[in-house]
mmCIF file of all heavy atoms in Angstrom:
data_model
loop_
_atom_site.group_PDB
_atom_site.id
_atom_site.type_symbol
_atom_site.label_atom_id
_atom_site.label_comp_id
_atom_site.label_asym_id
_atom_site.label_seq_id
_atom_site.Cartn_x
_atom_site.Cartn_y
_atom_site.Cartn_z
ATOM 1 N N LEU A 1 45.034 3.790 -29.790
ATOM 2 C CA LEU A 1 45.873 4.163 -28.653
ATOM 3 C C LEU A 1 45.184 3.737 -27.356
ATOM 4 O O LEU A 1 43.988 4.020 -27.185
ATOM 5 C CB LEU A 1 46.086 5.693 -28.596
ATOM 6 C CG LEU A 1 47.189 6.317 -29.408
ATOM 7 C CD1 LEU A 1 47.092 5.996 -30.884
ATOM 8 C CD2 LEU A 1 47.187 7.840 -29.210
ATOM 9 N N ARG A 2 45.909 3.062 -26.501
ATOM 10 C CA ARG A 2 45.375 2.765 -25.174
ATOM 11 C C ARG A 2 45.987 3.751 -24.176
ATOM 12 O O ARG A 2 47.205 3.896 -24.083
ATOM 13 C CB ARG A 2 45.713 1.337 -24.751
ATOM 14 C CG ARG A 2 45.042 0.940 -23.418
ATOM 15 C CD ARG A 2 44.988 -0.541 -23.243
ATOM 16 N NE ARG A 2 46.284 -1.123 -23.054
ATOM 17 C CZ ARG A 2 46.900 -1.259 -21.862
ATOM 18 N NH1 ARG A 2 46.304 -0.861 -20.762
ATOM 19 N NH2 ARG A 2 48.096 -1.808 -21.788
ATOM 20 N N ILE A 3 45.132 4.451 -23.455
ATOM 21 C CA ILE A 3 45.561 5.519 -22.562
ATOM 22 C C ILE A 3 45.680 5.014 -21.130
ATOM 23 O O ILE A 3 44.832 4.254 -20.649
ATOM 24 C CB ILE A 3 44.553 6.693 -22.619
ATOM 25 C CG1 ILE A 3 44.369 7.168 -24.055
ATOM 26 C CG2 ILE A 3 45.000 7.844 -21.733
ATOM 27 C CD1 ILE A 3 43.211 8.115 -24.233
ATOM 28 N N GLY A 4 46.725 5.418 -20.460
ATOM 29 C CA GLY A 4 46.951 4.990 -19.064
ATOM 30 C C GLY A 4 45.964 5.654 -18.116
ATOM 31 O O GLY A 4 45.690 6.853 -18.213
ATOM 32 N N ASP A 5 45.444 4.868 -17.186
ATOM 33 C CA ASP A 5 44.436 5.360 -16.240
ATOM 34 C C ASP A 5 44.931 6.617 -15.480
ATOM 35 O O ASP A 5 44.163 7.561 -15.265
ATOM 36 C CB ASP A 5 44.097 4.283 -15.200
ATOM 37 C CG ASP A 5 43.201 3.214 -15.771
ATOM 38 O OD1 ASP A 5 43.064 3.160 -17.016
ATOM 39 O OD2 ASP A 5 42.680 2.415 -14.982
ATOM 40 N N VAL A 6 46.167 6.575 -15.062
ATOM 41 C CA VAL A 6 46.666 7.642 -14.206
ATOM 42 C C VAL A 6 46.598 9.004 -14.872
ATOM 43 O O VAL A 6 46.476 10.013 -14.176
ATOM 44 C CB VAL A 6 48.109 7.340 -13.767
ATOM 45 C CG1 VAL A 6 49.075 7.387 -14.954
ATOM 46 C CG2 VAL A 6 48.589 8.286 -12.664
ATOM 47 N N PHE A 7 46.603 9.040 -16.172
ATOM 48 C CA PHE A 7 46.608 10.316 -16.896
ATOM 49 C C PHE A 7 45.207 10.892 -17.093
ATOM 50 O O PHE A 7 45.066 12.061 -17.499
ATOM 51 C CB PHE A 7 47.269 10.148 -18.252
ATOM 52 C CG PHE A 7 48.725 9.747 -18.151
ATOM 53 C CD1 PHE A 7 49.105 8.411 -18.254
ATOM 54 C CD2 PHE A 7 49.695 10.714 -17.931
ATOM 55 C CE1 PHE A 7 50.448 8.067 -18.158
ATOM 56 C CE2 PHE A 7 51.029 10.334 -17.820
ATOM 57 C CZ PHE A 7 51.408 9.019 -17.928
ATOM 58 N N ILE A 8 44.174 10.101 -16.814
ATOM 59 C CA ILE A 8 42.816 10.606 -17.075
ATOM 60 C C ILE A 8 41.869 10.382 -15.899
ATOM 61 O O ILE A 8 40.751 10.867 -15.923
ATOM 62 C CB ILE A 8 42.204 9.967 -18.325
ATOM 63 C CG1 ILE A 8 42.104 8.450 -18.178
ATOM 64 C CG2 ILE A 8 42.994 10.350 -19.565
ATOM 65 C CD1 ILE A 8 41.268 7.781 -19.249
ATOM 66 N N ALA A 9 42.289 9.653 -14.880
ATOM 67 C CA ALA A 9 41.372 9.249 -13.818
ATOM 68 C C ALA A 9 40.668 10.415 -13.149
ATOM 69 O O ALA A 9 39.499 10.290 -12.722
ATOM 70 C CB ALA A 9 42.117 8.437 -12.781
ATOM 71 N N ASP A 10 41.321 11.557 -13.067
ATOM 72 C CA ASP A 10 40.714 12.711 -12.382
ATOM 73 C C ASP A 10 40.087 13.709 -13.348
ATOM 74 O O ASP A 10 39.661 14.781 -12.937
ATOM 75 C CB ASP A 10 41.764 13.425 -11.512
ATOM 76 C CG ASP A 10 42.924 13.973 -12.321
ATOM 77 O OD1 ASP A 10 43.020 13.636 -13.531
ATOM 78 O OD2 ASP A 10 43.719 14.756 -11.771
ATOM 79 N N ARG A 11 40.001 13.344 -14.645
ATOM 80 C CA ARG A 11 39.412 14.295 -15.608
ATOM 81 C C ARG A 11 38.576 13.571 -16.680
ATOM 82 O O ARG A 11 38.313 14.137 -17.724
ATOM 83 C CB ARG A 11 40.487 15.148 -16.265
ATOM 84 C CG ARG A 11 41.545 14.379 -17.044
ATOM 85 C CD ARG A 11 42.676 15.288 -17.514
ATOM 86 N NE ARG A 11 43.722 14.582 -18.227
ATOM 87 C CZ ARG A 11 43.896 14.643 -19.535
ATOM 88 N NH1 ARG A 11 43.098 15.402 -20.267
ATOM 89 N NH2 ARG A 11 44.883 13.999 -20.131
ATOM 90 N N ALA A 12 38.137 12.371 -16.357
ATOM 91 C CA ALA A 12 37.329 11.604 -17.339
ATOM 92 C C ALA A 12 36.042 11.129 -16.729
ATOM 93 O O ALA A 12 35.985 10.739 -15.541
ATOM 94 C CB ALA A 12 38.142 10.403 -17.857
ATOM 95 N N THR A 13 34.995 11.178 -17.523
ATOM 96 C CA THR A 13 33.727 10.565 -17.143
ATOM 97 C C THR A 13 33.334 9.596 -18.251
ATOM 98 O O THR A 13 33.887 9.611 -19.349
ATOM 99 C CB THR A 13 32.609 11.638 -16.975
ATOM 100 O OG1 THR A 13 32.491 12.379 -18.193
ATOM 101 C CG2 THR A 13 32.949 12.582 -15.812
ATOM 102 N N VAL A 14 32.364 8.755 -17.933
ATOM 103 C CA VAL A 14 31.941 7.711 -18.878
ATOM 104 C C VAL A 14 30.429 7.788 -19.068
ATOM 105 O O VAL A 14 29.684 8.005 -18.100
ATOM 106 C CB VAL A 14 32.335 6.311 -18.387
ATOM 107 C CG1 VAL A 14 31.953 5.239 -19.406
ATOM 108 C CG2 VAL A 14 33.840 6.254 -18.107
ATOM 109 N N MET A 15 29.980 7.621 -20.297
ATOM 110 C CA MET A 15 28.565 7.622 -20.637
ATOM 111 C C MET A 15 28.186 6.252 -21.182
ATOM 112 O O MET A 15 29.025 5.581 -21.798
ATOM 113 C CB MET A 15 28.283 8.726 -21.659
ATOM 114 C CG MET A 15 26.858 8.868 -22.108
ATOM 115 S SD MET A 15 26.702 10.215 -23.333
ATOM 116 C CE MET A 15 26.793 11.635 -22.243
ATOM 117 N N ARG A 16 26.979 5.856 -21.024
ATOM 118 C CA ARG A 16 26.558 4.509 -21.407
ATOM 119 C C ARG A 16 26.724 4.244 -22.896
ATOM 120 O O ARG A 16 26.822 3.087 -23.305
ATOM 121 C CB ARG A 16 25.075 4.305 -21.019
ATOM 122 C CG ARG A 16 24.114 5.180 -21.816
ATOM 123 C CD ARG A 16 22.682 5.081 -21.296
ATOM 124 N NE ARG A 16 22.118 3.741 -21.459
ATOM 125 C CZ ARG A 16 20.901 3.406 -21.041
ATOM 126 N NH1 ARG A 16 20.118 4.325 -20.489
ATOM 127 N NH2 ARG A 16 20.467 2.201 -21.226
ATOM 128 N N GLU A 17 26.774 5.296 -23.715
ATOM 129 C CA GLU A 17 26.824 5.111 -25.155
ATOM 130 C C GLU A 17 27.411 6.374 -25.803
ATOM 131 O O GLU A 17 27.738 7.355 -25.110
ATOM 132 C CB GLU A 17 25.410 4.873 -25.702
ATOM 133 C CG GLU A 17 24.440 6.005 -25.361
ATOM 134 C CD GLU A 17 22.996 5.588 -25.430
ATOM 135 O OE1 GLU A 17 22.695 4.552 -26.050
ATOM 136 O OE2 GLU A 17 22.162 6.294 -24.825
ATOM 137 N N ASN A 18 27.508 6.343 -27.105
ATOM 138 C CA ASN A 18 27.943 7.497 -27.883
ATOM 139 C C ASN A 18 27.056 8.690 -27.608
ATOM 140 O O ASN A 18 25.848 8.559 -27.442
ATOM 141 C CB ASN A 18 27.929 7.099 -29.356
ATOM 142 C CG ASN A 18 28.142 8.255 -30.279
ATOM 143 O OD1 ASN A 18 27.161 8.870 -30.713
ATOM 144 N ND2 ASN A 18 29.375 8.573 -30.577
ATOM 145 N N ALA A 19 27.644 9.900 -27.594
ATOM 146 C CA ALA A 19 26.894 11.109 -27.273
ATOM 147 C C ALA A 19 25.711 11.334 -28.230
ATOM 148 O O ALA A 19 24.651 11.824 -27.795
ATOM 149 C CB ALA A 19 27.815 12.325 -27.285
ATOM 150 N N PHE A 20 25.872 11.007 -29.504
ATOM 151 C CA PHE A 20 24.763 11.162 -30.454
ATOM 152 C C PHE A 20 23.592 10.268 -30.057
ATOM 153 O O PHE A 20 22.433 10.696 -30.070
ATOM 154 C CB PHE A 20 25.218 10.844 -31.865
ATOM 155 C CG PHE A 20 25.930 11.953 -32.572
ATOM 156 C CD1 PHE A 20 27.261 12.224 -32.337
ATOM 157 C CD2 PHE A 20 25.247 12.773 -33.479
ATOM 158 C CE1 PHE A 20 27.894 13.262 -32.969
ATOM 159 C CE2 PHE A 20 25.881 13.804 -34.129
ATOM 160 C CZ PHE A 20 27.220 14.059 -33.869
ATOM 161 N N ALA A 21 23.877 9.014 -29.704
ATOM 162 C CA ALA A 21 22.827 8.098 -29.290
ATOM 163 C C ALA A 21 22.184 8.538 -27.980
ATOM 164 O O ALA A 21 20.977 8.441 -27.798
ATOM 165 C CB ALA A 21 23.405 6.683 -29.143
ATOM 166 N N PHE A 22 23.006 9.043 -27.075
ATOM 167 C CA PHE A 22 22.507 9.541 -25.794
ATOM 168 C C PHE A 22 21.588 10.726 -26.008
ATOM 169 O O PHE A 22 20.507 10.831 -25.404
ATOM 170 C CB PHE A 22 23.702 9.941 -24.916
ATOM 171 C CG PHE A 22 23.387 10.125 -23.451
ATOM 172 C CD1 PHE A 22 23.339 9.068 -22.601
ATOM 173 C CD2 PHE A 22 23.169 11.389 -22.968
ATOM 174 C CE1 PHE A 22 23.058 9.249 -21.240
ATOM 175 C CE2 PHE A 22 22.903 11.615 -21.614
ATOM 176 C CZ PHE A 22 22.838 10.538 -20.741
ATOM 177 N N TYR A 23 21.982 11.644 -26.864
ATOM 178 C CA TYR A 23 21.201 12.828 -27.222
ATOM 179 C C TYR A 23 19.848 12.412 -27.783
ATOM 180 O O TYR A 23 18.796 12.969 -27.396
ATOM 181 C CB TYR A 23 21.989 13.628 -28.225
ATOM 182 C CG TYR A 23 21.305 14.884 -28.756
ATOM 183 C CD1 TYR A 23 21.475 16.116 -28.126
ATOM 184 C CD2 TYR A 23 20.529 14.834 -29.913
ATOM 185 C CE1 TYR A 23 20.871 17.266 -28.630
ATOM 186 C CE2 TYR A 23 19.924 15.967 -30.435
ATOM 187 C CZ TYR A 23 20.094 17.185 -29.794
ATOM 188 O OH TYR A 23 19.489 18.297 -30.290
ATOM 189 N N GLU A 24 19.854 11.432 -28.658
ATOM 190 C CA GLU A 24 18.599 10.998 -29.272
ATOM 191 C C GLU A 24 17.745 10.187 -28.299
ATOM 192 O O GLU A 24 16.503 10.285 -28.328
ATOM 193 C CB GLU A 24 18.921 10.163 -30.523
ATOM 194 C CG GLU A 24 19.539 10.996 -31.650
ATOM 195 C CD GLU A 24 20.055 10.132 -32.783
ATOM 196 O OE1 GLU A 24 20.073 8.896 -32.638
ATOM 197 O OE2 GLU A 24 20.489 10.721 -33.799
ATOM 198 N N ARG A 25 18.367 9.398 -27.434
ATOM 199 C CA ARG A 25 17.608 8.619 -26.472
ATOM 200 C C ARG A 25 16.703 9.494 -25.613
ATOM 201 O O ARG A 25 15.561 9.168 -25.327
ATOM 202 C CB ARG A 25 18.581 7.808 -25.586
ATOM 203 C CG ARG A 25 17.889 6.968 -24.520
ATOM 204 C CD ARG A 25 18.885 6.372 -23.542
ATOM 205 N NE ARG A 25 19.747 5.401 -24.146
ATOM 206 C CZ ARG A 25 19.466 4.087 -24.243
ATOM 207 N NH1 ARG A 25 18.327 3.640 -23.782
ATOM 208 N NH2 ARG A 25 20.337 3.265 -24.804
ATOM 209 N N TYR A 26 17.255 10.639 -25.167
ATOM 210 C CA TYR A 26 16.519 11.523 -24.265
ATOM 211 C C TYR A 26 15.987 12.750 -24.960
ATOM 212 O O TYR A 26 15.524 13.670 -24.276
ATOM 213 C CB TYR A 26 17.409 11.885 -23.073
ATOM 214 C CG TYR A 26 17.840 10.687 -22.276
ATOM 215 C CD1 TYR A 26 19.162 10.300 -22.209
ATOM 216 C CD2 TYR A 26 16.907 9.871 -21.637
ATOM 217 C CE1 TYR A 26 19.569 9.175 -21.493
ATOM 218 C CE2 TYR A 26 17.284 8.739 -20.939
ATOM 219 C CZ TYR A 26 18.615 8.394 -20.872
ATOM 220 O OH TYR A 26 18.983 7.275 -20.184
ATOM 221 N N ASP A 27 16.046 12.763 -26.302
ATOM 222 C CA ASP A 27 15.492 13.865 -27.072
ATOM 223 C C ASP A 27 15.959 15.211 -26.530
ATOM 224 O O ASP A 27 15.154 16.138 -26.286
ATOM 225 C CB ASP A 27 13.946 13.795 -27.073
ATOM 226 C CG ASP A 27 13.322 14.589 -28.204
ATOM 227 O OD1 ASP A 27 14.079 15.067 -29.080
ATOM 228 O OD2 ASP A 27 12.092 14.756 -28.202
ATOM 229 N N LEU A 28 17.273 15.353 -26.336
ATOM 230 C CA LEU A 28 17.814 16.524 -25.664
ATOM 231 C C LEU A 28 17.731 17.797 -26.471
ATOM 232 O O LEU A 28 18.075 18.866 -25.979
ATOM 233 C CB LEU A 28 19.300 16.248 -25.267
ATOM 234 C CG LEU A 28 19.478 15.125 -24.253
ATOM 235 C CD1 LEU A 28 20.958 14.948 -23.901
ATOM 236 C CD2 LEU A 28 18.676 15.340 -22.989
ATOM 237 N N GLY A 29 17.234 17.715 -27.707
ATOM 238 C CA GLY A 29 17.038 18.903 -28.492
ATOM 239 C C GLY A 29 15.778 19.684 -28.075
ATOM 240 O O GLY A 29 15.634 20.855 -28.435
ATOM 241 N N ARG A 30 14.903 19.023 -27.323
ATOM 242 C CA ARG A 30 13.741 19.713 -26.818
ATOM 243 C C ARG A 30 14.116 20.691 -25.705
ATOM 244 O O ARG A 30 15.002 20.425 -24.903
ATOM 245 C CB ARG A 30 12.714 18.721 -26.257
ATOM 246 C CG ARG A 30 11.996 17.911 -27.278
ATOM 247 C CD ARG A 30 10.768 17.196 -26.675
ATOM 248 N NE ARG A 30 10.656 17.316 -25.241
ATOM 249 C CZ ARG A 30 10.913 16.330 -24.366
ATOM 250 N NH1 ARG A 30 11.374 15.168 -24.812
ATOM 251 N NH2 ARG A 30 10.750 16.513 -23.069
ATOM 252 N N ARG A 31 13.427 21.799 -25.637
ATOM 253 C CA ARG A 31 13.739 22.839 -24.655
ATOM 254 C C ARG A 31 13.563 22.327 -23.225
ATOM 255 O O ARG A 31 14.318 22.690 -22.321
ATOM 256 C CB ARG A 31 12.855 24.072 -24.884
ATOM 257 C CG ARG A 31 13.142 25.242 -23.952
ATOM 258 C CD ARG A 31 12.371 26.481 -24.365
ATOM 259 N NE ARG A 31 10.922 26.185 -24.411
ATOM 260 C CZ ARG A 31 10.037 27.049 -24.849
ATOM 261 N NH1 ARG A 31 10.397 28.222 -25.310
ATOM 262 N NH2 ARG A 31 8.728 26.728 -24.837
ATOM 263 N N ASP A 32 12.572 21.461 -22.996
ATOM 264 C CA ASP A 32 12.296 20.985 -21.640
ATOM 265 C C ASP A 32 12.858 19.586 -21.383
ATOM 266 O O ASP A 32 12.520 18.927 -20.406
ATOM 267 C CB ASP A 32 10.792 20.976 -21.394
ATOM 268 C CG ASP A 32 10.045 20.059 -22.368
ATOM 269 O OD1 ASP A 32 10.646 19.712 -23.419
ATOM 270 O OD2 ASP A 32 8.882 19.719 -22.108
ATOM 271 N N ALA A 33 13.728 19.106 -22.286
ATOM 272 C CA ALA A 33 14.217 17.747 -22.171
ATOM 273 C C ALA A 33 15.193 17.587 -20.994
ATOM 274 O O ALA A 33 15.934 18.511 -20.632
ATOM 275 C CB ALA A 33 14.952 17.345 -23.466
ATOM 276 N N GLN A 34 15.154 16.410 -20.391
ATOM 277 C CA GLN A 34 16.065 16.072 -19.308
ATOM 278 C C GLN A 34 16.499 14.623 -19.472
ATOM 279 O O GLN A 34 15.640 13.760 -19.731
ATOM 280 C CB GLN A 34 15.399 16.250 -17.929
ATOM 281 C CG GLN A 34 15.141 17.712 -17.557
ATOM 282 C CD GLN A 34 14.627 17.822 -16.135
ATOM 283 O OE1 GLN A 34 14.041 16.875 -15.597
ATOM 284 N NE2 GLN A 34 14.864 18.936 -15.500
ATOM 285 N N GLU A 35 17.771 14.381 -19.326
ATOM 286 C CA GLU A 35 18.245 12.981 -19.378
ATOM 287 C C GLU A 35 17.825 12.274 -18.099
ATOM 288 O O GLU A 35 17.672 12.894 -17.034
ATOM 289 C CB GLU A 35 19.756 12.940 -19.559
ATOM 290 C CG GLU A 35 20.539 13.471 -18.378
ATOM 291 C CD GLU A 35 22.037 13.456 -18.613
ATOM 292 O OE1 GLU A 35 22.526 14.309 -19.334
ATOM 293 O OE2 GLU A 35 22.698 12.554 -18.065
ATOM 294 N N VAL A 36 17.657 10.970 -18.196
ATOM 295 C CA VAL A 36 17.416 10.172 -17.014
ATOM 296 C C VAL A 36 18.733 10.003 -16.269
ATOM 297 O O VAL A 36 19.737 9.584 -16.869
ATOM 298 C CB VAL A 36 16.837 8.796 -17.416
ATOM 299 C CG1 VAL A 36 16.696 7.897 -16.198
ATOM 300 C CG2 VAL A 36 15.509 8.966 -18.115
ATOM 301 N N PRO A 37 18.778 10.366 -15.003
ATOM 302 C CA PRO A 37 20.052 10.321 -14.275
ATOM 303 C C PRO A 37 20.527 8.890 -14.008
ATOM 304 O O PRO A 37 19.731 7.925 -14.042
ATOM 305 C CB PRO A 37 19.725 11.034 -12.953
ATOM 306 C CG PRO A 37 18.247 10.860 -12.783
ATOM 307 C CD PRO A 37 17.684 10.891 -14.155
ATOM 308 N N GLY A 38 21.817 8.765 -13.781
ATOM 309 C CA GLY A 38 22.390 7.474 -13.435
ATOM 310 C C GLY A 38 23.051 6.738 -14.584
ATOM 311 O O GLY A 38 23.485 5.606 -14.425
#
């Protein structure tokens, strides 16, 4: 399904990759973990 921009433009964000990969990249399971911003 291709979604029209107008229906999500004000409620969508984009991440560089899949959330699982993002989680592992920054080791977000650690208590003191922080993702690199940007």
Side-chain angles (χ1 to χ4, degrees):
L1 274 57
R2 185 161 69 88
I3 305 169
D5 285 13
V6 67
F7 297 97
I8 61 169
D10 62 349
R11 60 188 179 106
T13 57
V14 182
M15 180 180 283
R16 67 187 297 178
E17 59 201 341
N18 171 267
F20 278 81
F22 194 83
Y23 177 91
E24 292 170 354
R25 179 188 293 272
Y26 300 115
D27 199 9
L28 296 181
R30 288 194 352 255
R31 183 172 56 186
D32 61 343
Q34 290 186 335
E35 66 182 77
V36 174

